[in-house]
Amino acid sequence: MLKTLRRLMPPAIVEQRSIRLAGKPVTYTLKRTGRRRSIGLRIDDRGLTVNMPLRASEKWLRSVLEEKAAWVVEKLESWHANKPAPQQWTNGEPISYRGEMFTLRIIPSLFDAPPQLHGTQLVVHVFQTDDPSAIERFVMRWYRHEALKLFTECVAHFAPLMGVNPSEVKLSAARTQWGSCTARGKVRLNWQLIKMPLDLVDYVVVHELAHLREMNHSAAFWRVVEAACPDYAKRRDELRKWGMMSDD
Ligand SMILES: [Zn+2]
């Protein structure tokens, strides 16, 4: 959920560093902030980030990194191995939609037309078939359109069941969050969820709507989630496998 409180804090001092851990070279981002009391390590699609208090010593930093060396190296390697290949915008490439894989089929046409699903294909009619950036633009527009339609339906389904009344549903393109929600009832859902199975979309929607009842992650919050989505823990684990982001 919201990270806006951080705006009040002084900015972090950020630098790139490298070190050898468990015999492997590791580069990482070091962030020093005044508000921290301990050294924290995080690994995501951007690699290792180390958060530490402004005045923590190099010796302390080194001891924490060495203590966690095996974990860091293993986690980084697993991230690297599972990283999805970047989408290619050419004919015959795989493309995901609602948890299923389709094949991108590009058909030359006098007129551009919105992409359409036909069987196992996502068909794109375009004038300029050799311009991947144009294909990307068309498909992205389609993704966003489909995403907003689906998310709006999901919210309309779950909101009355959960006794909440969100004021607005919009797409986000956040790098680190699947969704967010403000106290005023503005729900933001990451457009990339349109690539995922519906039960994961439902979970993120339920999670954000539950924040309209409980603006925290207390036991009471999880009870609200569970009432609408009894197997939420399973879905949450599944969502983590899709990568980098939190379901805050
Ligand atoms: Zn949350």
Side-chain angles (χ1 to χ4, degrees), residues 144-174:
R144 295 180 66 88
H145 176 261
E146 292 293 307
L148 189 59
K149 198 168 78 179
L150 176 67
F151 303 165
T152 307
E153 283 167 16
C154 279
V155 169
H157 172 77
F158 283 107
L161 293 177
M162 297 171 70
V164 295
N165 192 13
S167 59
E168 185 182 83
V169 179
K170 279 193 174 174
L171 298 182
S172 89

Side-chain angles (χ1 to χ4, degrees), residues 1 207 211 217 247-248:
M1 210 204 56
H207 183 120
H211 279 311
H217 292 121
D247 51 5
D248 292 342

